[in-house]
Every structure is written in C-alpha cells, then in structure tokens.
C-alpha cells in the first residue's frame, strides 16, 4: 500500500485484518471505513467485511458481537457444551478478567472451536490476561489475536445452519457490527 492509502483508517485496519486480494484491491485513499464495509458487502465479500469489523472494534465489543451472532446461530435450546460456552463468554463480557477468560476458554474447548460458541469463548480468552497457565509468568495475547476467533464466530454463525441463507445472515450480522461502530462513534463522519 502506498502513501495516502497507507495513512487511511481503512488501510490501517486492512493491514492487520488479513483480507483477500479482491478486498484489498477495493481499498482507496479516500474511502472511509463504513464506506469500505458497504463496498465489501456490495461485492459479496462478506467474510472480508466480517474480518475488517472484527479488527476494527475494541476487544470487548468485538467479543460481544461474536457472542451475539453465536447465540443466534445456536438456537433456543443449544446442546449443553454450547450453552455453557455462551454463558461463560457472556460472563467474560460482563466482567472481562483473566479468570473469566480462562473459564470461557475451557467452555469453548468443550463446545469445540469449530462452532460459533466455541469461537466466541476463544475470543474472550484471547482478549486479555495471559495465555500461559496461571502458575507461570504472564504471556499476553497479541494485539489482534482476539479478532480471528471473533471472525470465526460470526462467519460460522452465518454459514453453519441453512447455508443458502448465509448472505442474508451475513448482512444482518455485519449491519449489527456496523451499528456498534456507530454507537461507539468509532469513525466520526468524514474521518
């Protein structure tokens, strides 16, 4: 990415979000993050829009977004491991500390990391605290490590049940993520 593009907010997010070639080719120096998301949506690049948003949101809000999508995908009566993972993640959202992150990790592992609920719990664990066992010196997670499982939670939630409805679910989930950016005033208009 050259000069002006590299200095834009959208480009800064793209530089860490690991978007596909088609998505990065759409990046322009003058494009605002919300407009970039809209362009990704218009082109049907839903997973790229999800990854962009997951990397743009603050950790707690990103985990909340992944959790909401996972909860919707899990239905009214999810299997016990999924229900436990969702509850543990919700507890971390309410009280984001190391202990709750470890509980979310254990529950996510039981629910399996290939499920939306498992990804949401993993995202909570990767959002702070230490990755090392509690009796060892702390090893903080990388700055954007949480965003990968948040992306997984949202993407799996959109495609896991009724894949034919995935585009519709992606649109709903991404609209919800964009709404979070608006509520947080993450990207003031024209910035």
């Amino acid at each position: 990415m050259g000069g002006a593009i590299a200095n834009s907010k959208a480009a800064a997010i793209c530089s860490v979000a690991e978007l596909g070639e088609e998505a990065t080719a759409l990046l322009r120096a003058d494009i605002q993050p919300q407009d970039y998301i809209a362009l990704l949506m218009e082109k049907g690049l839903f997973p790229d829009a999800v990854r962009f948003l997951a990397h743009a949101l603050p950790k707690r809000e990103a985990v909340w977004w992944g959790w909401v999508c996972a909860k919707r995908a899990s239905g009214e009566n999810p299997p016990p491991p999924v229900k436990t993972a969702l509850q543990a993640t919700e507890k971390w959202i309410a009280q984001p500390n190391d202990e709750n992150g470890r509980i979310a990790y254990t529950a996510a592992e039981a629910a399996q990391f290939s499920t939306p609920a498992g990804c949401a719990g993993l995202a909570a664990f990767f959002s702070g605290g230490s990755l090392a066992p509690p009796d060892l010196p702390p090893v903080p997670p990388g700055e954007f490590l949480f965003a990968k499982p948040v992306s997984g939670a949202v993407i799996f939630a959109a495609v896991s049940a009724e894949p034919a409805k995935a585009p519709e679910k992606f649109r709903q989930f991404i609209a919800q993520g964009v709404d979070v950016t608006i509520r947080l005033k993450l990207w003031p208009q024209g910035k």
Side-chain angles (χ1 to χ4, degrees), residues 36-46 49 170-171 174-175:
Y36 184 63
I37 293 167
L39 185 57
L40 292 172
M41 299 283 290
E42 178 185 314
K43 300 291 185 181
L45 300 173
F46 303 120
F170 270 122
R171 285 184 187 90
I174 293 166

Side-chain angles (χ1 to χ4, degrees), residues 6-109:
N7 293 328
S8 77
K9 284 188 188 256
I13 297 165
C14 287
S15 72
V16 294
E18 300 177 12
L19 304 184
E21 286 182 31
E22 190 176 350
T24 55
L26 297 172
L27 191 60
R28 299 185 321 261
D30 63 336
I31 197 162
Q32 299 302 317
Q34 286 180 326
D35 296 332
Y36 184 63
I37 293 167
L39 185 57
L40 292 172
M41 299 283 290
E42 178 185 314
K43 300 291 185 181
L45 300 173
F46 303 120
D48 286 309
V50 168
R51 284 190 287 277
F52 183 88
L53 268 169
H55 284 80
L57 289 168
K59 291 175 183 176
R60 187 175 183 189
E61 288 79 358
V63 172
W64 175 85
W65 179 47
W67 170 79
V68 167
C69 296
K71 191 170 178 174
R72 283 187 59 197
S74 299
E76 291 293 318
N77 295 306
V82 169
K83 183 177 181 176
T84 300
L86 290 169
Q87 290 170 338
T89 305
E90 183 177 22
K91 186 174 181 181
W92 180 89
I93 293 165
Q95 296 178 313
N97 58 43
D98 192 53
E99 179 183 351
N100 287 341
R102 290 180 187 286
I103 292 167
Y105 175 84
T106 301
E109 189 173 38

Side-chain angles (χ1 to χ4, degrees), residues 155-178:
I155 292 168
F156 289 159
V159 301
S160 60
E162 300 178 296
K165 293 184 179 181
E168 175 187 331
K169 289 188 268 183
F170 270 122
R171 285 184 187 90
Q172 292 171 359
F173 294 158
I174 293 166
Q176 186 171 38
V178 168

